[in-house]
Amino acid sequence: MDIETLVRLAQLAGAACFVLGLHLMNSPATARNGNLLSAGGMVVAVGATLLDLVTRPGGVSVVGWVVIVVGFAIGGGLGLYTARTVKMTAMPQLVSLFNAVGGGAAALVAIDDFVRIASGGQTASVSTTIFTVLDVVIGSVTFTGSLIASGKLQGLISGKPIIFPGSRILTIVLAIVAVVATVVLVLAANGNLAIDGTASVLVLALIIASACVFGVTMVLPIGGADMPVVISLLNAFTGTAVAMAGFVLVNPVLIISGALVGASGGILTKLMADAMNRSILNIMIGGFGGGEGTVGSAGGGATQVRSVSADDAAIQMAYASSVIIVPGYGLAVAQAQHACRELGELLESKGVDVKYAIHPVAGRMPGHMNVLLAEANVPYPLLKEMDDINPEFDRCDVALVVGANDVTNPAARRPGSPVSGMPILNVDHAKSIVVIKRSMGRGYAGIDNELYGNPKTGMLFADAKDGLGQLVAAVKAL
């Protein structure tokens, strides 16, 4: 068996690992093994590529090897450091940064190949030109758009929709410029337009600039509430850009892995949009909400809220038959998942039936809350998805809401509200409701939560971790 055949087989094995790994991620019980298998596939693919470089006729120059080693050190080191140190609450921002890096890297690969062909006095083929332009456009939009999305989630950029005069027109003009420049390059590649290599590179540079600015103007007008959906969409863009780079380089591993990421990211985006009862187009045209942390009036203005002490809430839960815990982003921010699990176990020891209601967009990413609670060793069978748990609220004695806001707002059931039509957890159907919240601040939708003014609702004003700690101590004292 020659080296080239061995390399191709290794790349095929790596691609197979990607497919099987993605399949294993369908279940929380096998997701960890799926991640490990996919990572192993990437190690095999990278190893095969290095073997190909070592045995390639002419080899790689010393400068080339220095660039490869430095790239491995910087990229691998930063990736390892950030993955180990980032908090779970900041995971969406990290994913967005990884999207930016992936999209930018894919674009650079295509740019390098195109410039090399043009500088050699040759004209790229029509197929190479089309794949290069697609890669550059998608990758550049992903790069700048992901940076803006990450900045919004991190609070470096306002979570409110940012619209400046003429922004919509500018976005349309940028799209037209990119399309016209693409047509020019394709006509030149087809021999219907005579331009030299330098002119081709300049046209490509115009496309890159237009796409980079387009990524900024596309994401800025979208509100912080929609950022998780935007990140998922940009993740799909990253995969598509990588697949386009694979076509440019004729690399099957890049094509397969990119297609998998693009397809899965697209499906996830659709599921998230459905969970918010909104179309992807509606989200991209402009998000709703005024940003997290806006202080609203208690219970929608005229409605009065009722405060409860930890002792009163503890008595309700300790003597209840069933308790449903509704964790939200406030729990994630406070890193209160371990206190939440402790309270759940304590109630179970007293014979209470405890379940956890997980909204599809609880936290800031699908599965975000599941991972947090799994980290605290909450049994996965107790985590119930929205469609499964909603009917049980009618039979629930106490619903404990920990830092969840918009996903519990009954205003979603009637028209005329920014969250109208958004599927919510039927917390207001429970016999009694306890809400742990630091203040009467609004969620990302920028409106008051009508649940807080419900006569059945008692507000325990505290940080999620501190509030749960008070409840644990009170239940133990009973």
Side-chain angles (χ1 to χ4, degrees), residues 100-193:
V101 172
L108 287 175
V109 168
I111 292 169
D112 175 73
D113 193 68
F114 188 87
V115 171
R116 178 178 53 80
I117 293 175
S119 62
Q122 299 175 318
T123 301
S125 65
V126 174
S127 61
T128 298
T129 301
I130 292 175
F131 287 131
T132 298
V133 172
L134 289 174
D135 187 2
V136 167
V137 169
I138 299 172
S140 298
V141 169
T142 303
F143 177 70
T144 55
S146 296
L147 291 178
I148 297 299
S150 180
K152 279 179 172 280
L153 288 178
Q154 190 64 28
L156 301 176
I157 302 174
S158 173
K160 297 181 180 180
I162 300 175
I163 302 175
F164 55 87
S167 60
R168 304 289 189 187
I169 297 176
L170 176 60
T171 303
I172 294 173
V173 170
L174 291 170
I176 293 174
V177 169
V179 171
V180 172
T182 299
V183 171
V184 170
L185 287 182
V186 172
L187 290 176
N190 201 32
N192 295 325
L193 185 64

Side-chain angles (χ1 to χ4, degrees), residues 3 21 29 69 72 208 228 254 274 433 446 448 451 454 457:
I3 297 297
V69 172
F72 264 107
I208 296 170
L254 288 179
D274 290 344
I433 306 159
D448 296 315
L451 179 71
N454 191 311
T457 301

Side-chain angles (χ1 to χ4, degrees), residues 37-284:
L37 184 60
S38 297
M42 182 58 69
V43 171
V44 171
V46 171
T49 302
L50 289 175
L51 179 62
D52 183 44
L53 291 175
V54 170
T55 58
R56 181 177 298 177
V60 179
S61 65
V62 175
V63 175
W65 281 116
V66 170
V67 171
I68 291 173
V69 172
V70 171
F72 264 107
I74 295 177
L78 284 176
L80 182 62
Y81 174 77
T82 53
R84 285 186 172 275
T85 59
V86 68
K87 295 180 179 179
M88 276 304 302
T89 50
M91 191 59 68
Q93 294 94 299
L94 180 63
V95 171
S96 190
L97 287 177
F98 283 170
N99 286 343
V101 172
L108 287 175
V109 168
I111 292 169
D112 175 73
D113 193 68
F114 188 87
V115 171
R116 178 178 53 80
I117 293 175
S119 62
Q122 299 175 318
T123 301
S125 65
V126 174
S127 61
T128 298
T129 301
I130 292 175
F131 287 131
T132 298
V133 172
L134 289 174
D135 187 2
V136 167
V137 169
I138 299 172
S140 298
V141 169
T142 303
F143 177 70
T144 55
S146 296
L147 291 178
I148 297 299
S150 180
K152 279 179 172 280
L153 288 178
Q154 190 64 28
L156 301 176
I157 302 174
S158 173
K160 297 181 180 180
I162 300 175
I163 302 175
F164 55 87
S167 60
R168 304 289 189 187
I169 297 176
L170 176 60
T171 303
I172 294 173
V173 170
L174 291 170
I176 293 174
V177 169
V179 171
V180 172
T182 299
V183 171
V184 170
L185 287 182
V186 172
L187 290 176
N190 201 32
N192 295 325
L193 185 64
I195 59 174
D196 58 18
T198 301
S200 298
V201 173
L202 291 176
V203 173
L204 184 65
L206 179 62
I207 294 175
I208 296 170
S210 299
C212 286
V213 179
F214 182 89
V216 175
T217 59
M218 180 186 75
V219 178
L220 276 180
I222 303 175
D226 293 325
M227 276 305 109
V229 182
V230 174
I231 289 176
S232 180
L233 181 63
L234 291 171
N235 179 254
F237 283 3
T238 299
T240 305
V242 170
M244 295 301 105
F247 283 113
V248 172
L249 299 179
V250 195
N251 188 311
V253 174
L254 288 179
I255 295 172
I256 295 172
S257 58
L260 287 173
V261 174
S264 58
I267 294 171
L268 178 59
T269 303
K270 180 64 168 60
L271 291 174
M272 292 180 68
D274 290 344
M276 300 171 71
N277 197 36
R278 305 181 65 206
S279 68
I280 297 175
L281 180 60
N282 175 259
I283 291 171
M284 300 313 295

Side-chain angles (χ1 to χ4, degrees), residues 225-385:
D226 293 325
M227 276 305 109
V229 182
V230 174
I231 289 176
S232 180
L233 181 63
L234 291 171
N235 179 254
F237 283 3
T238 299
T240 305
V242 170
M244 295 301 105
F247 283 113
V248 172
L249 299 179
V250 195
N251 188 311
V253 174
L254 288 179
I255 295 172
I256 295 172
S257 58
L260 287 173
V261 174
S264 58
I267 294 171
L268 178 59
T269 303
K270 180 64 168 60
L271 291 174
M272 292 180 68
D274 290 344
M276 300 171 71
N277 197 36
R278 305 181 65 206
S279 68
I280 297 175
L281 180 60
N282 175 259
I283 291 171
M284 300 313 295
I285 289 176
F288 67 88
E292 185 181 32
T294 305
V295 177
S297 58
T303 304
Q304 297 296 316
V305 299
R306 178 173 61 90
S307 296
V308 294
S309 67
D311 291 334
D312 292 336
I315 291 174
Q316 291 184 56
M317 290 186 288
Y319 294 103
S321 297
S322 64
V323 171
I324 297 178
I325 299 175
V326 182
Y329 183 66
L331 178 142
V333 170
Q335 292 289 288
Q337 62 269 29
H338 295 281
C340 188
R341 183 260 308 158
E342 185 179 1
L343 176 62
E345 290 182 345
L346 187 58
L347 292 175
E348 286 181 323
S349 69
K350 292 181 175 294
V352 181
D353 178 32
V354 178
K355 295 184 177 67
Y356 298 79
I358 310 298
H359 192 276
V361 291
R364 280 186 171 173
M365 293 177 67
H368 192 193
M369 195 58 61
N370 300 66
V371 174
L372 277 176
L373 296 176
E375 179 189 3
N377 296 319
V378 174
Y380 193 79
L382 298 183
L383 306 183
K384 304 296 182 179
E385 299 299 329

